[in-house]
Amino acid sequence: MTSSPWFVRVRVRARRAALPVALCAGLAATLTACGSDPDEGTNGVGKLSAPEIESKARAAADGADAVRLSGTLVSKGGSYRIDMRLKSSGGTGTVTSQKSTFGLLRVGDDLFLKAGAGFWSHSGSGDAAAAAGKLDDKYVKVPSGDPAYQQLRGFTEKSVLLKGMLGLQGALAKGDRSEVGAVRTVRIAAGKDGEGGALDVSLQGTPYPLRFERAGGAGVLELADWNKDFPLAAPAKGDTVDYGRQLPTA
């Protein structure tokens, strides 16, 4: 059997040697093997330990002037959907339960609640039913002495809400790289299999927390529009009702 000419054998060996190089070049774009760095072009947070990543994310959140927080909260009392824009001077947005939706607006210490007539008359009590038409789709000023004031205000407090929502319970472990929207992230999780909560932290720019899965399946929250200011002003007098010392029972 006649052997192949030497230059043919050399070409075959060259093509075989080039194949792994070509594969590596193709896979590098997806940040996989072949020596690529999954944190190339990022803020470097992915190289840190899980506790260090959490610390960076909390510091970034505390230092931001504004944020939008939306998602689902699950508690023994039921499930709630919130969509709030928050900053130190107040907040605005909506809270939806299984029975109703209402808007909240806080400017300084002044807190307003806005809802339809169905919200106010839901309980069927005489006071609520009588007030429903008057309060329908109006901003109702919540008296500071009303039992509901502190509870409702909590939905508009940036520092309070973030501290209460972003708690991780248990030993921290660093997870996979992922994305929230179009932003690359690194995940840290607490407890066994993330049962103590999981947090996705931005790998681009400031390491803000972008997505949080609460411990025990108690809801998922997304955090966006970090440091993006938004208008916040008391409603016009014609749109406001001052109900007095205490709201009707709804």
Side-chain angles (χ1 to χ4, degrees):
M1 180 177 180
T2 305
S3 60
S4 301
W6 68 269
F7 57 85
V8 174
R9 294 196 298 272
V10 169
R11 286 179 179 175
V12 171
R13 286 196 296 269
R15 284 197 296 270
R16 289 175 178 172
L19 183 58
V21 176
L23 285 175
C24 280
L27 293 173
T30 58
L31 301 178
T32 57
C34 306
S36 63
D37 182 0
D39 294 307
E40 183 178 357
T42 72
N43 55 21
V45 169
K47 298 179 183 293
L48 303 178
S49 68
E52 290 173 325
I53 295 173
E54 182 194 30
S55 178
K56 290 280 188 181
R58 286 191 175 278
D62 291 342
D65 292 329
V67 65
R68 181 175 183 175
L69 191 153
S70 61
T72 303
L73 303 175
V74 180
S75 66
K76 293 181 180 180
S79 177
Y80 300 87
R81 173 78 188 178
I82 67 172
D83 188 354
M84 299 295 301
R85 300 195 70 176
L86 309 165
K87 55 184 176 180
S88 59
S89 58
T92 182
T94 59
V95 179
T96 301
S97 69
Q98 294 177 341
K99 297 180 180 179
S100 60
T101 297
F102 57 89
L104 288 174
L105 169 65
R106 182 176 64 84
V107 182
D109 290 327
D110 292 334
L111 177 65
F112 302 89
L113 188 154
K114 184 178 183 180
F119 173 86
W120 298 108
S121 61
H122 177 73
S123 70
S125 67
D127 289 346
K134 179 182 179 182
L135 305 182
D136 180 34
D137 208 30
K138 294 285 188 179
Y139 285 97
V140 179
K141 188 172 183 180
V142 183
S144 59
D146 190 280
Y149 179 86
Q150 289 299 330
Q151 180 182 4
L152 293 173
R153 177 170 176 150
F155 285 107
T156 68
E157 293 272 10
K158 172 181 172 286
S159 59
V160 173
L161 204 57
L162 290 181
K163 183 178 180 179
M165 299 301 177
L166 301 184
L168 292 168
Q169 303 172 13
L172 299 179
K174 184 164 63 174
D176 296 331
R177 308 300 194 278
S178 185
E179 288 186 353
V180 174
V183 181
R184 293 164 63 185
T185 60
V186 60
R187 168 167 286 207
I188 54 174
K192 183 180 179 181
D193 299 324
E195 62 186 14
L199 187 66
D200 289 283
V201 179
S202 176
L203 286 173
Q204 298 174 213
T206 305
Y208 291 121
L210 299 183
R211 188 173 186 271
F212 180 62
E213 294 181 11
R214 302 183 73 207
V220 179
L221 298 168
E222 293 197 359
L223 302 100
D225 296 342
W226 286 104
N227 257 345
K228 291 185 179 180
D229 197 16
F230 58 92
L232 193 63
K237 288 186 177 181
D239 295 327
T240 306
V241 175
D242 190 342
Y243 199 77
R245 299 180 61 183
Q246 186 170 329
L247 298 179
T249 302

